Amino acid sequence: MILFAVFVMLSLQGVWAGGFYLLDANQQVTTSGKGLLMYSGGTVCEDAFNDETADWICRMMGYASLDFWTNGRKYTWHDKYPIKLDDIQCSGSVVPYCEYDTSHNCYHIEDVWLSCKIKIQKGDLNSFYLLDNTEMFTQSGHGLLMYQEGTVSYDGFDDTTADWICRFMGYENAADWVNDRQFSFQDDLPIKLNNLVCSNTSYSDILPKCQSRIGTADDSHDEDIWIWCNSVVIAECPAGYKVKLKNKLCQECPPTTYSPTPNTNFTCLHCPEGSSSPAASPYCTCVGGSYLSADYSSCQACPTGTASKEGSTSSGQCVLCPEGMISIDDGKACSCNKGYGWLWTSAEEGTCSPCPVNSFKTLGTCRQCPVEATSLPLSEGCTCAVGLSWDGEIVWTVSQT
């Protein structure tokens, strides 16, 4: 009688399975088992998709089985992703045999949304799992390869096959495998599978084409498979970076996104409305008149009668306008007397400063005159060259007189 120790699943399920993963409503890679099905940065079209295919993809991502799947728009943002795969079909009782197409005539309304059942342990005792040298179920990633309380003979087994078997059990891939006797209790077990092979073709990077046969009395336990599987390992990236899906190295967040702390995220957060960021930014910059909230998730307007500089990060940087002055330009500056403009001297201090020569006051600040215009100090306008007229801004037009 085989005894099994039950362990809670501690590693990340479903993050990486030959390129498949799930995104939640916030475009974050999720291990909940529910989300938009993605492959290598793109979506999957439902043409030819069915329950058996969905079940195998769930299992390839390290989940126990399919809960349900559907097509139809779930998220408003996934139009921005390309459609990567179409006509996926997987069948097979022990291991899958899959086919797919990278060309498509789909629309995003046909994208697949999956709900997979979570495992409480790696390896399904009705499918593949590992035993340690005490005949106990193990999640260490190495042990005697088992299928339905029987062993697996090595005939036909290879590195590609080992990779996929590790993936079916919820691991990242195979580190190594051998086919010699390891444990004395193996003789008391039946040999369940032989000639287990997942073909080393172009499909093997995305979906396997596998086959097997039931073990026979001619098979020998000296050929039982003992395997080492790698757990999912994800780099921790610094603020302003994300984990790159393809190789799990760090990649800078693109402009208008951010990542605030050292993280293991596969996606960067989008800047809140009213803010922006350069590449590799740990936070976003709010426009003047507002400040970045403590959790970086929104730009908060400064109170009436105060102004803030672009890039303010706390309410304390909302400066009270001088006596007799008001906040103008949506809180970006304080009003000043004629010929004076608001000048930020630091993140938390500002003053009304005289507009210098060849500048002019517009709204609350002093701005440079156009190239072919001049002004005296304390001006609210510029004097244009002969033949040109001032339009009140920093551009000039041909005079009609």
Side-chain angles (χ1 to χ4, degrees), residues 247-306:
N247 53 19
K248 299 188 183 68
L249 299 178
C250 295
Q251 179 182 29
E252 65 181 25
C253 289
T256 72
T257 68
Y258 71 103
S259 182
T261 57
N263 67 90
T264 56
N265 296 327
F266 285 89
T267 56
C268 300
L269 301 173
H270 287 279
C271 285
E273 184 177 357
S275 70
S276 61
S277 73
S281 179
Y283 57 86
C284 299
T285 299
C286 294
V287 297
S290 64
Y291 61 91
L292 190 63
S293 62
D295 63 0
Y296 299 170
S297 66
S298 64
C299 292
Q300 303 291 318
C302 286
T304 302
T306 67

Side-chain angles (χ1 to χ4, degrees), residues 113-353:
W113 195 89
L114 270 184
S115 176
C116 303
K117 295 178 180 178
I118 298 286
K119 288 180 180 177
I120 62 168
Q121 57 194 17
K122 284 182 180 169
D124 178 351
L125 301 187
N126 293 316
S127 184
F128 294 102
Y129 55 94
L130 300 174
L131 294 185
D132 66 16
N133 60 357
T134 63
E135 204 174 354
M136 301 293 283
F137 176 84
T138 178
Q139 293 196 123
S140 65
H142 57 274
L144 178 67
L145 180 62
M146 300 286 292
Y147 178 78
Q148 293 186 347
E149 299 194 33
T151 64
V152 179
S153 184
Y154 103 101
D155 289 347
F157 207 84
D158 59 15
D159 291 346
T160 301
T161 306
D163 265 345
W164 276 108
I165 298 303
C166 284
R167 291 179 188 183
F168 296 151
M169 291 190 292
Y171 296 97
E172 170 71 357
N173 52 29
D176 199 4
W177 63 276
V178 296
N179 61 294
D180 53 0
R181 173 123 15 135
Q182 297 291 321
F183 307 137
S184 59
F185 61 79
Q186 289 172 233
D187 286 339
D188 298 326
L189 304 174
I191 296 173
K192 280 295 182 79
L193 292 180
N194 199 348
N195 293 113
L196 176 57
V197 179
C198 294
S199 60
N200 189 16
T201 69
S202 59
Y203 284 91
S204 62
D205 292 333
I206 301 175
L207 294 164
K209 285 192 170 184
C210 303
Q211 61 185 13
S212 65
R213 69 171 177 83
I214 302 301
T216 68
D218 295 332
D219 298 327
S220 169
H221 280 294
D222 289 335
E223 300 175 344
D224 287 345
I225 298 293
W226 199 85
I227 197 168
W228 289 262
C229 297
N230 289 318
S231 294
V232 175
V233 176
I234 301 173
E236 181 175 273
C237 296
Y241 288 75
K242 64 177 181 177
V243 179
K244 192 174 181 180
L245 279 169
K246 183 175 182 180
N247 53 19
K248 299 188 183 68
L249 299 178
C250 295
Q251 179 182 29
E252 65 181 25
C253 289
T256 72
T257 68
Y258 71 103
S259 182
T261 57
N263 67 90
T264 56
N265 296 327
F266 285 89
T267 56
C268 300
L269 301 173
H270 287 279
C271 285
E273 184 177 357
S275 70
S276 61
S277 73
S281 179
Y283 57 86
C284 299
T285 299
C286 294
V287 297
S290 64
Y291 61 91
L292 190 63
S293 62
D295 63 0
Y296 299 170
S297 66
S298 64
C299 292
Q300 303 291 318
C302 286
T304 302
T306 67
S308 71
K309 187 179 182 180
E310 179 182 3
S312 295
T313 57
S314 72
S315 60
Q317 293 175 307
C318 294
V319 175
L320 184 65
C321 289
E323 185 176 356
M325 308 299 178
I326 61 173
S327 59
I328 58 175
D329 195 15
D330 296 324
K332 295 181 179 67
C334 293
S335 63
C336 295
N337 292 327
K338 181 178 180 179
Y340 288 76
W342 183 256
L343 174 68
W344 288 105
T345 56
S346 71
E348 300 179 20
E349 293 183 352
T351 185
C352 287
S353 176

Side-chain angles (χ1 to χ4, degrees), residues 68-83:
F68 69 90
W69 71 275
T70 185
N71 65 308
R73 186 69 60 90
K74 290 290 180 181
Y75 306 133
T76 58
W77 41 258
H78 66 250
D79 281 348
K80 73 178 185 180
Y81 293 100
I83 298 173

